[in-house]
Amino acid sequence: MTGAEDGGATVAANPVALYERAARLYDRLSKTAPADGNPVAERLRRSVLRPLNDALGAGTPAAAADTSCPSLLELARAATQLRAAGGASPPLIEATAALQDLACRDAEAESPEALRAALAELRGLQADLEATVGPAPDGPYLTTNVEELRDWLGCAVQARPQMALCRCGASSIKPFCDGTHAEIGFKDAKSPDRVPDRRDTYVGQQLTILDNRGICQHSGFCTDRLATVFRAREEPFVHPSGGRMDEIIRAVRDCPSGALSYAVDGVEARDEVDHHGLREPAIEITKDGPYRVTGSIPLVQSDGTPVPRDEGVSLEHYALCRCGQSQNKPFCSGMHWYVEFHDPVADPDATPSMFEWAGGLPALTRMTRLFYEKHVPADPLLAPLFADMSADHPERVARWLGEVFGGPPAYSENHGGYPRMLSQHIGKNLKEDWRRRWVELLLLSAREAGLPNDPEFRSAFQSYIEWGSRLAVENSQTNAHPPQQMPMPRWDWTTAAGPPGARISALAPPEHRPDTPIVLPGADEPLSYDKHIKQLFRAQDRNSMRFAFDLWSYDDVSAHSTAIYERIDNGSMPCDRKWPAERIAVFKRWIDAGAPH
């Protein structure tokens, strides 16, 4: 680990000792830095020593005589103890956040176990602190005990117990702060040209819409999805009788800034708008845009009092500026559009997965919610089938699709993977006309949800929807015998379901499913492709992979042996069941032996 070996020693928990020990580690790292500098030392200077110096002020007392050099984890432990004691100043909290991040990065480089241990210790030290977000004066968002941090695709970002999230827009390690705000002179004052704080009331036939333009972040969720009610660049902005009641309520609840609400018979439905008690505290880092905060995380000033809010806005969800240019700091005012704020792209030449191209889990969830909340209940064929679905059914289907299209294994980890999905269809006797309507309305929902409309995506997306829905119908018949342990399907830009015969039909009688006996080689027997490897692949395995290579060809299998091994080892090939461990071991032995013919 960077710095001294950490054997559980504790740096004295006072600001002066913390500063002096951090300076000592900085000096050591700087002296041994390569020609292009040491990034850890630079982070210590900009995000630890600078704010600690600000916290101590000019009258810094003499440091302790101890001259030992601590580790990053020791420093993070001491800073967290100071933070947890109460009354910590924003500069001290900022330094604590930087030290926790540095210590966790250092532990992660050592091993996953070391990272888990470091996180657990730091969480324990500040466990008594309330979960909050606090905009530091002219500095970052100091985020305490918020465990769920997600990127724009809905994928988890490893949160630290104490974080400093960039809000000047210029950090090189977004979303985390690297101290750049202090160097560029970032200021968090509100602009006198901001939209004024005023709550407007629009009375309609079924409900009243309440709107405060002063807090709007201009995400376009309302205008893009319900343009008959929310009309961009028109006055009045809201036409409260221009849509169905359920559509208006959905649009109001989806407003990420908290500007919108509604009332029925003169009584505001604030708890319903705010998903009261339904969402865990979370922060979403949107693509090239603000932080979206949900789950009633208090937004507090340096003295612990609430940040002043505009009239009538939500306290459960709000959007915070991330580009540094908002006219209504700390809240987003949509300026990221005008200043063309963009996050760095890790690899601009990389081909995005279908999951990424679709917009990730938020986009897929938007689609499935429209499908199950709007279109299914209105359809006489499908409404009875889903009348008793669970409340989180749209989210489950979105996670399934996300995993199929190359996203994180959220469905497998949370809901049981393929066996769980299969269990939802067995014995249901689904009919073809139901399937056709399901596909038709899901594709309509995809258009309404704003999923990409390019031919490449739509072709690949629709091909899976058609394939998967037909498989669901087949598996649901009373005489079906589908394999129980198939791996999750994987769909990408080149995926094909395979030619006829590439898989065993669930409707084929069991006696028509011969499985040729395989004789495995002895432990010391020399291996060859012709005798030992070719027999491992069935005819349907060969057919399913013909689009890429021929599993009964030595040249093809030897050329692609590593990729084939990865797929049989993770269970994604063959498509109907995972190989037994002893067969996988034989294939690995053959590769290690140089793939003999």
Side-chain angles (χ1 to χ4, degrees):
M1 299 180 74
T2 303
E5 291 296 324
D6 185 66
T10 301
V11 177
N14 69 77
V16 177
L18 181 63
Y19 178 89
E20 291 295 331
R21 295 291 186 84
R24 206 165 291 136
L25 179 57
Y26 167 75
D27 288 342
R28 173 183 168 181
L29 295 175
S30 298
K31 290 175 182 177
T32 59
D36 58 351
N38 187 308
V40 174
E42 184 65 9
R43 184 89 182 279
L44 283 170
R45 180 184 69 81
R46 300 173 70 186
S47 296
V48 177
L49 296 177
R50 174 195 53 76
L52 283 178
N53 186 64
D54 292 344
L56 293 170
T60 302
D66 185 5
T67 59
S68 61
C69 190
S71 71
L72 287 168
L73 183 56
E74 287 182 274
L75 291 172
R77 182 185 297 129
T80 304
Q81 290 171 338
L82 288 169
R83 164 71 180 110
S89 65
L92 175 58
I93 300 174
E94 182 184 343
T96 301
L99 285 169
Q100 286 194 10
D101 185 46
L102 284 168
C104 288
R105 291 173 188 260
D106 196 38
E108 186 175 26
E110 181 179 329
S111 70
E113 293 74 22
L115 174 60
R116 284 193 290 270
L119 284 169
E121 179 181 5
L122 296 173
R123 286 194 186 104
L125 289 173
Q126 63 176 66
D128 292 336
L129 297 175
E130 181 184 16
T132 58
V133 175
D138 300 332
Y141 298 111
L142 303 175
T143 305
T144 304
N145 288 346
V146 177
E147 295 188 7
E148 189 164 351
L149 184 65
R150 299 189 298 261
D151 65 15
W152 67 278
L153 295 170
C155 301
V157 176
Q158 180 63 71
R160 316 306 191 199
Q162 185 66 62
M163 295 183 288
L165 300 180
C166 172
R167 70 161 168 155
C168 72
S171 172
S172 63
I173 55 171
K174 298 182 188 71
F176 301 108
C177 169
D178 68 355
T180 300
H181 61 277
E183 298 178 0
I184 64 176
F186 170 74
K187 300 297 179 184
D188 61 6
K190 294 180 183 290
S191 168
D193 299 327
R194 68 185 182 278
V195 177
D197 173 13
R198 188 188 72 214
R199 200 180 203 201
D200 298 318
T201 301
Y202 302 91
V203 180
Q205 292 293 317
Q206 303 174 83
L207 47 71
T208 296
I209 299 176
L210 306 169
D211 175 45
N212 192 326
R213 296 288 83 200
I215 198 67
C216 178
Q217 69 141 98
H218 304 286
S219 67
F221 281 17
C222 56
T223 53
D224 292 347
R225 300 173 194 176
L226 197 55
T228 56
V229 175
F230 303 97
R231 303 185 184 180
R233 294 178 292 277
E234 283 191 21
E235 288 295 337
F237 169 63
V238 176
H239 297 256
S241 299
R244 296 202 316 260
M245 185 175 183
D246 64 314
E247 292 181 317
I248 295 173
I249 290 174
R250 183 183 299 109
V252 168
R253 297 187 81 205
D254 284 350
C255 171
S257 65
L260 292 173
S261 186
Y262 71 88
V264 179
D265 297 330
V267 179
E268 184 174 1
R270 184 81 263 176
D271 280 354
E272 284 71 22
V273 173
D274 284 351
H275 307 262
H276 186 66
L278 298 177
R279 297 196 284 200
E280 294 296 322
I283 299 175
E284 176 191 354
I285 310 156
T286 67
K287 182 176 175 59
D288 304 330
Y291 299 107
R292 290 184 183 140
V293 185
T294 55
S296 302
I297 304 174
L299 185 65
V300 298
Q301 302 180 100
S302 300
D303 60 3
T305 60
V307 170
R309 308 287 189 99
D310 285 359
E311 180 187 359
V313 303
S314 173
L315 300 182
E316 191 272 346
H317 55 275
Y318 48 92
L320 297 175
C321 172
R322 196 162 69 88
C323 70
Q325 304 297 319
S326 172
Q327 295 178 317
N328 190 33
K329 299 183 187 78
F331 303 102
C332 173
S333 68
M335 285 300 293
H336 53 280
W337 295 106
Y338 301 101
V339 301
E340 297 184 351
F341 173 73
H342 294 290
D343 289 307
V345 179
D347 184 358
D349 297 324
T351 300
S353 66
M354 286 184 61
F355 174 75
E356 293 168 328
W357 192 256
L361 196 58
L364 293 171
T365 303
R366 190 164 65 243
M367 176 191 70
T368 55
R369 283 185 55 210
L370 280 168
F371 178 70
Y372 288 109
E373 294 175 10
K374 176 182 177 182
H375 293 301
V376 166
D379 187 81
L381 270 179
L382 298 185
L385 296 178
F386 295 98
D388 297 318
M389 66 179 167
S390 61
D392 67 344
H393 191 75
E395 287 76 17
R396 288 173 180 253
V397 175
R399 288 171 181 161
W400 169 273
L401 292 173
E403 188 169 344
V404 166
F405 292 144
Y411 190 88
S412 292
E413 292 177 353
N414 295 288
H415 307 299
Y418 176 83
R420 166 69 180 179
M421 179 61 78
L422 181 63
S423 71
Q424 301 304 295
H425 297 108
I426 289 179
K428 295 294 178 63
N429 283 300
L430 301 179
K431 297 180 174 58
E432 173 59 21
D433 55 345
W434 298 350
R435 186 203 69 80
R436 286 197 304 269
R437 186 65 57 83
W438 190 91
V439 169
E440 175 189 350
L441 294 181
L442 189 65
L443 296 177
L444 173 61
S445 300
R447 292 195 295 273
E448 292 182 353
L451 266 65
N453 198 39
D454 57 277
E456 291 80 10
F457 175 78
R458 285 308 171 110
S459 173
F461 177 79
Q462 186 165 344
S463 73
Y464 172 73
I465 299 304
E466 291 282 357
W467 180 83
S469 62
R470 283 178 165 81
L471 209 58
V473 170
E474 180 181 296
N475 290 338
S476 73
Q477 304 309 305
T478 53
N479 62 331
H481 305 278
Q484 298 295 307
Q485 299 297 325
M486 284 178 64
M488 286 286 291
R490 302 293 181 187
W491 221 257
D492 57 30
W493 303 110
T494 60
T495 298
R503 65 179 179 87
I504 299 174
S505 171
L507 300 179
E511 61 269 18
H512 292 168
R513 302 180 183 194
D515 194 0
T516 303
I518 292 175
V519 180
L520 296 179
D524 299 324
E525 184 178 351
L527 299 179
S528 74
Y529 169 79
D530 289 336
K531 181 177 180 181
H532 303 111
I533 302 303
K534 184 177 179 179
Q535 64 164 343
L536 300 177
F537 301 107
R538 301 166 301 174
Q540 58 262 33
D541 300 333
R542 182 191 189 196
N543 287 337
S544 68
M545 295 303 299
R546 276 188 181 276
F547 73 96
F549 44 75
D550 185 353
L551 288 171
W552 287 359
S553 162
Y554 168 79
D555 291 339
D556 280 5
V557 174
S558 60
H560 298 280
S561 59
T562 301
I564 294 171
Y565 173 73
E566 289 175 354
R567 295 192 65 172
I568 61 175
D569 188 48
N570 66 28
S572 60
M573 193 182 88
C575 62
D576 61 333
R577 59 184 174 181
K578 186 171 181 176
W579 274 10
E582 57 270 21
R583 294 190 191 180
I584 299 174
V586 167
F587 194 83
K588 182 66 165 57
R589 277 179 55 201
W590 178 70
I591 294 176
D592 293 342
H597 200 303

